[in-house]
Amino acid sequence: MKNSIEIPAGVKHIHCIGVGGSGMFPIVQILLSQGYRISGSDNNESDILAAERKLGVEVTLGHSPENLEGADLVLYSAAIMADNPELTAAREKGLPLWERARMLGAISSHYPEAVGVCGTHGKTTVTSMLTQILYGAGKDPSAVIGGKLRAIDGYGRAGKSGLFVYEACEFRDTFLSTYPDTAIVLNIDDDHLDYFGTVENAMKSFTRFAGMARRVLYNGDDANTVRAMEAAPTPEKLTFGRGEENDFWPAHLQKEDGLCRSFTLMHRRDAVCRVTIHVPGDHNVLNAVAAAAAAWLLGVSPEDIAAHLGEFTGAGRRFEVLGKVRGFTVVDDYAHHPAELAATLRAAKELGFRRVWAVFQPFTFSRTYLLLEDFVKALSIADRVVLSPIMGSREKNEWGIRSGDLGEKIPGCVWLDSFEEMAEYVLANAGEGDLVITLGCGDIYKCARMILAD
C-alpha cells in the first residue's frame, strides 16, 4: 500500500498562481471535479485562461495580494519566482502553500494504478496516446497531460476508474513528489542543466523515480536510460525500442506517406497488433510503441490498442496543423530542446514541402547559453530560420545571451523584436508550397495566429 497525501481538512477555496500553465490546467480540472472552488492569476492571456473561465475559475491577470481573498490554500507552479507578491502575501497570512508537484503527488497517491510518463522528450505525446487508448477502450482514466488532447477536449480529465495517467516532469525533480505504480521512461538527455548540473545527476533522479514504482517500461535503445534503469530497484523491468532485443518493438515498419507509419507491435516474439499512426516522424513510432506497450500491460485488448491509437492525430502544439495562408501551411509545435527541434524539423523535411521555415522562440537563457551549438545544428536543418527574443520565464539573464548570438551562427537567419514583426516577415517572404512551423514552449503560438490572421 503506497503512501497518500491529503489536502488539509477544511480547505474549500484553492488559489492557483500561474493558473494559465499547461501543467496547472489539468490539476485545476481535477480539483474542480472534486468540488473545490478555484481562483487563479497569471501574467498573460491565453486559451487556457479562456477555457478555465468557462469552467468557473475566477481568473485575474497580474499578481497581487488582493487575489488571495478568501483562499484556504495557495497552489503555485515551479516557474513562479520566490518573490512573487502573492507567494509573499500567502506566507505572511500563514496560508498553506503547495507547489504543483505536491498536488500532483496527492492526486497520484490516491489511485491504485498511477502511470507516470517521464523523459526529456516525448512526455506529452506518449501521455496523450496512452490516454486516448485507455479512454477509447472504456477504461475511464483520469489524466494530467501537458498538451490538449482532442479526444477528451482538454489537458486532462477526472475519470471514475482506478487508472491515472500523468506527465511526470523531471524539472527540479518535481516527479519525485509523485507516486507512480508504473513508470514509463522515454529518454534522458542534457536538459535542465541549470538545475542538474550534469546529465549524470539527471540520470540519478530518473533512477529514483523508477525505483518508486513496482513496474518500469523504459527505452532500451537509449544509453543514458539503460544505465539509469540498471540502478533502479524496481521489481519488474521491461524495455521498448526499435530492435527485437527489446521486450516491445515495431516489426514490418512501413511509411505509407509523409504522415502515416504502420508497424506490427511485438511482445518479444509474439505479434500483438498491427498499428497505423497518423503523426509524422520516426520518433513518433517509438512513442507509439511505448504507449501501446503500456496499454497492453494495463489490460487493453490488441483490437482496442490498434483502433484508438489509429485515431490519434497529435496532441495540441505537437506538430499541430493550424491552416494555410497565401499558399503555405502553418504548423505549431512545442519543441524547445535541440533534440526535439531536430526530430521535428527532420520529420517536416520528409513531407515534400518546397521549403521548411523554423520560427523559433528560445526558452530560458540558461538553456540557450548551455546548448547554443546544439541549437545551431538543429535549427540549421530548416531552410529558413526566424528567431524571437529569448523568453526568460523564471530566469534573469545572468549569461548575457541574446537571440542574435544564436542567429549569427545560422546562415540566412533573421532575428526580430516582436511576434508582429516576425509574422510580417514570414508573410512577406514565405511562398506557395512552404511549411512554416512555429516552435517553442512559450507563447510563440501567438505568432502563428498572427500569420493566419492575414
Side-chain angles (χ1 to χ4, degrees):
M1 184 69 179
K2 60 184 179 182
N3 296 329
S4 63
I5 302 174
E6 304 294 338
I7 295 175
V11 169
K12 296 180 180 179
H13 176 185
I14 299 174
H15 179 77
C16 306
I17 310 175
V19 74
S22 60
M24 188 69 85
F25 185 25
I27 298 288
V28 166
Q29 289 176 287
I30 290 174
L31 292 172
L32 284 170
S33 75
Q34 295 174 350
Y36 291 99
R37 174 188 167 193
I38 305 295
S39 63
S41 59
D42 215 308
N43 282 329
N44 299 304
E45 192 59 73
S46 66
D47 286 351
I48 291 177
L49 293 186
E52 287 174 332
R53 289 189 186 98
K54 289 181 180 179
L55 293 174
V57 178
E58 304 159 37
V59 176
T60 304
L61 282 181
H63 300 297
S64 170
E66 288 76 23
N67 296 337
L68 302 182
E69 186 65 35
D72 303 310
L73 182 146
V74 174
L75 181 64
Y76 64 100
S77 71
I80 300 301
M81 303 292 282
D83 60 355
N84 179 280
E86 293 181 14
L87 272 182
T88 301
R91 293 189 192 100
E92 292 172 352
K93 289 174 176 286
L95 291 172
L97 274 171
W98 280 35
E99 203 273 323
R100 175 193 171 275
R102 184 178 182 187
M103 185 63 77
L104 181 60
I107 292 170
S108 67
S109 72
H110 286 275
Y111 285 87
E113 184 58 73
V115 183
V117 182
C118 70
T120 310
H121 320 296
K123 292 185 291 293
T124 296
T125 296
V126 174
T127 307
S128 297
M129 285 178 167
L130 180 55
T131 300
Q132 175 132 0
I133 296 169
L134 295 172
Y135 177 72
K139 298 295 185 181
D140 196 19
S142 297
V144 169
I145 309 170
K148 189 172 184 178
L149 177 60
R150 294 184 187 93
I152 62 174
D153 191 30
Y155 295 75
R157 70 185 304 271
K160 296 180 181 178
S161 74
L163 273 172
F164 176 52
V165 183
Y166 68 99
E167 192 169 319
C169 183
E170 76 278 12
F171 172 66
R172 294 188 186 176
D173 281 333
T174 55
F175 61 173
L176 299 183
S177 298
T178 68
Y179 294 83
D181 297 283
T182 295
I184 302 175
V185 186
L186 303 175
N187 40 62
I188 305 173
D189 210 338
D190 53 354
D191 201 11
H192 302 306
L193 296 186
D194 56 317
Y195 173 77
F196 289 114
T198 65
V199 174
E200 287 71 25
N201 287 336
M203 290 164 59
K204 292 176 184 177
S205 289
F206 280 93
T207 299
R208 289 175 60 193
F209 179 74
M212 297 164 67
R214 54 178 171 77
R215 173 170 61 198
V216 61
L217 174 66
Y218 68 92
N219 186 346
D221 293 348
D222 184 70
N224 288 341
T225 302
V226 171
R227 284 175 54 203
M229 294 305 102
E230 285 173 349
T234 319
E236 183 182 4
K237 298 181 182 180
L238 298 163
T239 62
F240 69 90
R242 301 185 187 280
E244 58 187 53
E245 67 277 8
N246 292 288
D247 294 300
F248 296 92
W249 54 284
H252 313 300
L253 176 63
Q254 292 181 323
K255 296 182 181 180
E256 299 186 1
D257 59 36
L259 283 174
C260 295
R261 303 285 192 277
S262 293
F263 62 89
T264 299
L265 176 67
M266 303 293 293
H267 177 228
R268 299 182 183 127
R269 299 298 175 188
D270 298 324
V272 178
C273 58
R274 185 74 183 169
V275 171
T276 299
I277 60 172
H278 300 275
V279 284
D282 290 339
H283 61 290
N284 276 318
V285 171
L286 207 57
N287 288 335
V289 170
W296 189 80
L297 291 169
L298 293 168
V300 179
S301 71
E303 295 78 14
D304 277 332
I305 292 172
H308 301 298
L309 191 50
E311 295 169 352
F312 180 77
T313 55
R317 301 215 61 221
R318 272 67 182 178
F319 213 89
E320 183 177 5
V321 179
L322 300 180
K324 293 186 73 172
V325 59
R326 299 191 186 183
F328 62 84
T329 301
V330 180
V331 166
D332 183 47
D333 195 275
Y334 193 76
H336 56 282
H337 182 279
E340 296 165 353
L341 292 169
T344 299
L345 292 172
R346 287 193 192 104
K349 294 283 279 188
E350 292 180 2
L351 299 180
F353 288 91
R354 187 173 71 101
R355 294 182 301 182
V356 173
W357 288 65
V359 181
F360 179 53
Q361 179 188 44
F363 187 78
T364 72
F365 304 110
S366 61
R367 182 186 283 118
T368 308
Y369 176 80
L370 293 169
L371 303 179
L372 185 68
E373 294 303 324
D374 293 330
F375 276 116
V376 171
K377 291 176 184 176
L379 289 167
S380 295
I381 295 170
D383 299 296
R384 298 293 298 273
V385 179
V386 181
L387 301 177
S388 78
I390 299 169
M391 186 174 188
S393 184
R394 57 191 176 268
E395 294 181 342
K396 296 179 181 178
N397 192 2
E398 299 172 4
W399 298 265
I401 188 78
R402 60 187 181 89
S403 287
D405 298 323
L406 173 58
E408 288 169 353
K409 294 175 176 286
I410 302 171
C413 178
V414 298
W415 49 99
L416 300 167
D417 292 333
S418 69
F419 290 161
E420 288 83 2
E421 292 175 87
M422 294 167 72
E424 289 174 6
Y425 182 85
V426 170
L427 285 165
N429 292 279
E432 182 82 26
D434 286 358
L435 174 64
V436 174
I437 315 176
T438 52
L439 297 149
C441 63
D443 58 350
I444 187 64
Y445 64 87
K446 294 177 181 177
C447 184
R449 291 183 181 173
M450 291 175 186
I451 294 169
L452 287 169
D454 180 72

